Amino acid sequence: MQKGMHTDTERCVRAVRSRDARFDGWFFTAVLTTGIYCRPSCPAVPPKPENMVFQPSAAACRQAGFRACKRCRPDSSPGSPEWNQRADAVARAMRLIADGTVDREGVSGLAARLGYSTRQVERQLLAELGAGPLALARAQRAQTARLLIETTALPMTEIAFAAGFSSVRSFNGTVREVFALAPSDLRARAPRQTPGTPASTSGGTPGALSLRLPFRAPLNPDNLFGHLAATAVPGVEEWRDGAYRRTLRLPYGHGVVALAPRPDHIACRLTLTDPRDLAVAISRCRRLLDLDADPVAVDDRLRTDPVLAPLVDKAPGRRVPRTVDEAEFAVRAVLGQQVSTAAARTHAARLVAAHGEPVDDPDPEGGLTHLFPSPEALADLDPETLAMPRTRRTTFTTLARRLADGDLRLDVGSDWPETREKLLALPGFGPWTADVIAMRALGDPDAFLPTDLGVRRAARELGLPSTPAALTARAAAWRPWRAYAVQYLWATDSHPINFLPT
């Protein structure tokens, strides 16, 4: 999918006329005659082409004075895959805005994370998205407000501040402007179990929010949930009752999430200590499960290789299992160097028990007990307590200190090439460790693991070159989706990571 699809009028018109859900989130249709904007798959009768204007973001539609369609609810469509497949400043900014950076640190904080001036960031976002960082953050606040209005019984005053608004007045004004309804009317008209929208609050865990996370089909849950379950760290993660559950360290508090695959959505049950963390928690869960990917574009490219084509056809829609905490994953990657999955889990479980922050599991039957230790907690530990070779202790302690003092920042806004170089400069960091962090923590869709044992074994069995250099040369044809090719290669093995737990 090319950059700036909204500028290709003919293609956008075709997508709207065919109500093609694959393009939801890629662009939005603003209808001049009605003053509303829709997702491409809106079930309403398509307007005449001369009455359609295409915008790159919901925020741009709102900036232009359009209101969200009450029928297709474009604000709840999957996010644009562009922001997760690009490494430029605009894509990094969009990932940081989704993670709440503007709400917590302001536009100046966003610019500092990106290494640009505020003026440069605003200019780049306006040029490509038709809206600046404040408008984009405001659009996210409106979406969070709608979610809380429709899925909880919280008073509107609490919702206003939980969604990030500075006052009830601004909350009321934004909701009326965006949805053409007062907050109380929006709650009264809340849909029930509409595909791709929030579900109503359910029973089970007191205080939990039950949501439906949409995605672009197809989605193969086997390796996605299989990987998370097989590598789950006791106390922090578990597979229970058909769902992957884990604790979350969040900006204002902590939470517990349960994620379960369904045919047309991911069922998400969230329990938060502070409702202000809702938008960030949802964003991180979507990122964990790679839900904003464009599986059709990925699989079409990989199918051009006759060796990969049968693997893709057999089980299309594989996602890259990622993380909700980049620093946590980097620590776990070091623990997993040259040891089995079981050994890595054992090492991590010991760290959690000794240095993790205790939490209460909202499920009386659950086994979640801790948040994964913070870099600050790990930086202060005695290396002699680590049951690993001395050289790996040095690798571990160096990483923890660099993360704790801010010399190394791993987050959704990280510059992929620059961060990879910083990782490779650390003692004990080779290409495998740097690239697995790039793939699963930083989200680089083109990260590749030619030295990985499972990848080399699959390559040998499939008749692909098995030496790292030759395999890398062959894999050039899979770009920019080599991280997804790794998932298909791994799936040829009988390892538990490849199977949905029973």
Side-chain angles (χ1 to χ4, degrees):
M1 205 72 65
Q2 77 273 19
K3 183 177 176 179
M5 182 182 172
H6 70 286
T7 61
D8 190 340
T9 301
E10 183 179 345
R11 193 175 185 192
C12 289
V13 168
R14 287 200 306 270
V16 171
R17 284 178 168 172
S18 62
R19 299 186 177 92
D20 196 333
R22 292 179 301 165
F23 297 100
D24 288 353
W26 276 106
F27 69 90
F28 296 83
T29 306
V31 185
L32 298 173
T33 51
T34 62
I36 65 171
Y37 71 93
C38 304
R39 60 170 80 193
S41 65
C42 182
V45 176
K48 295 178 180 179
E50 58 266 28
N51 293 328
M52 291 188 275
V53 177
F54 303 107
Q55 298 282 8
S57 66
C61 293
R62 293 165 190 167
Q63 288 278 91
F66 294 90
R67 303 185 310 275
C69 174
K70 296 185 180 72
R71 189 167 180 183
C72 71
R73 299 164 57 91
D75 55 305
S76 63
S77 60
S80 173
E82 265 192 282
W83 315 132
N84 291 335
Q85 72 187 48
R86 287 166 45 185
D88 56 82
V90 170
R92 291 166 58 206
M94 290 300 290
R95 293 195 287 269
L96 286 167
I97 291 170
D99 200 52
T101 298
V102 171
D103 289 330
R104 295 191 302 274
E105 303 174 25
V107 178
S108 59
L110 174 68
R113 295 278 198 104
L114 297 171
Y116 290 90
S117 69
T118 56
R119 187 175 179 181
Q120 287 174 310
V121 172
E122 289 173 347
R123 185 171 63 246
Q124 290 186 61
L125 289 173
L126 278 169
E128 186 163 341
L129 288 156
L134 287 176
L136 291 162
R138 182 171 179 253
Q140 179 165 293
R141 286 197 295 275
Q143 183 177 348
T144 303
R146 181 176 197 162
L147 196 60
L148 288 169
I149 289 168
E150 295 182 340
T151 65
T152 76
L154 288 173
M156 295 300 175
T157 301
E158 293 185 30
I159 289 176
F161 294 106
F165 289 95
S166 59
S167 69
V168 175
R169 182 179 179 179
S170 62
F171 160 73
N172 286 329
T174 297
V175 171
R176 286 180 179 274
E177 178 186 339
V178 172
F179 305 114
L181 289 170
S184 57
D185 295 331
L186 196 59
R187 175 169 280 173
R189 294 169 58 115
R192 295 291 180 262
Q193 304 298 320
T194 302
T197 65
S200 56
T201 305
S202 69
T205 305
L209 296 175
S210 291
L211 316 171
R212 296 159 65 94
L213 305 184
F215 56 76
R216 291 175 185 80
L219 181 144
N220 187 318
D222 295 2
N223 73 301
L224 184 58
F225 286 91
H227 206 123
L228 295 173
T231 60
V233 177
V236 174
E237 305 166 285
E238 67 175 1
W239 180 266
R240 179 180 292 276
D241 298 330
Y244 166 75
R245 303 179 71 242
R246 73 155 292 150
T247 59
L248 303 170
R249 184 184 298 278
L250 298 164
Y252 297 104
H254 66 264
V256 170
V257 67
L259 298 160
R262 300 289 184 264
D264 63 348
H265 68 277
I266 299 296
C268 171
R269 192 169 67 254
L270 268 170
T271 305
L272 303 172
T273 58
D274 192 317
R276 290 177 295 175
D277 284 322
L278 177 61
V280 173
I282 292 173
S283 176
R284 293 183 183 180
C285 289
R286 294 191 63 81
R287 187 168 171 80
L288 169 71
L289 301 180
D290 198 16
L291 297 186
D292 290 327
D294 184 351
V296 174
V298 172
D299 289 351
D300 282 353
R301 170 59 62 87
L302 299 183
R303 279 192 184 96
T304 62
D305 189 311
V307 174
L308 292 186
L311 304 180
V312 176
D313 290 338
K314 180 182 178 181
R318 292 193 184 277
R319 302 301 209 267
V320 178
R322 294 200 166 121
T323 184
V324 294
D325 187 319
E326 294 79 13
E328 172 191 316
F329 185 84
V331 169
R332 292 172 61 172
V334 169
L335 295 177
Q337 288 178 332
Q338 300 177 344
V339 298
S340 67
T341 300
R345 292 179 70 225
T346 299
H347 285 311
R350 288 173 182 161
L351 282 181
V352 167
H355 305 283
E357 182 181 334
V359 297
D360 294 325
D361 192 328
D363 184 344
E365 304 298 321
L368 303 181
T369 59
H370 290 80
L371 298 175
F372 194 85
S374 67
E376 292 74 17
L378 296 177
D380 293 334
L381 62 75
D382 179 359
E384 296 300 322
T385 62
L386 298 172
M388 58 181 67
R390 186 169 300 277
T391 54
R392 195 165 307 141
R393 291 182 199 170
T394 301
T395 301
F396 180 94
T397 54
T398 302
L399 172 66
R401 284 196 298 268
R402 296 286 175 85
L403 289 170
D405 62 23
D407 283 351
L408 177 65
R409 182 187 285 273
L410 301 177
D411 61 27
V412 294
S414 295
D415 180 286
W416 296 336
E418 178 183 307
T419 305
R420 187 183 275 109
E421 289 181 11
K422 289 183 177 180
L423 290 170
L424 288 171
L426 297 177
F429 268 72
W432 181 88
T433 308
D435 285 329
V436 79
I437 292 172
M439 180 174 73
R440 295 193 55 201
L442 305 184
D444 183 352
D446 200 40
F448 191 50
L449 307 175
T451 63
D452 180 81
L453 182 61
V455 169
R456 295 182 66 181
R457 182 187 300 123
R460 187 165 51 250
E461 292 177 356
L462 293 169
L464 292 167
S466 57
T467 62
L471 184 58
T472 299
R474 172 64 180 269
W478 307 339
R479 305 192 75 166
W481 308 119
R482 292 183 300 175
Y484 294 86
V486 169
Q487 308 310 311
Y488 283 104
L489 292 174
W490 274 343
T492 62
D493 197 3
S494 59
H495 194 284
I497 65 169
N498 295 314
F499 301 97
L500 190 68
T502 56

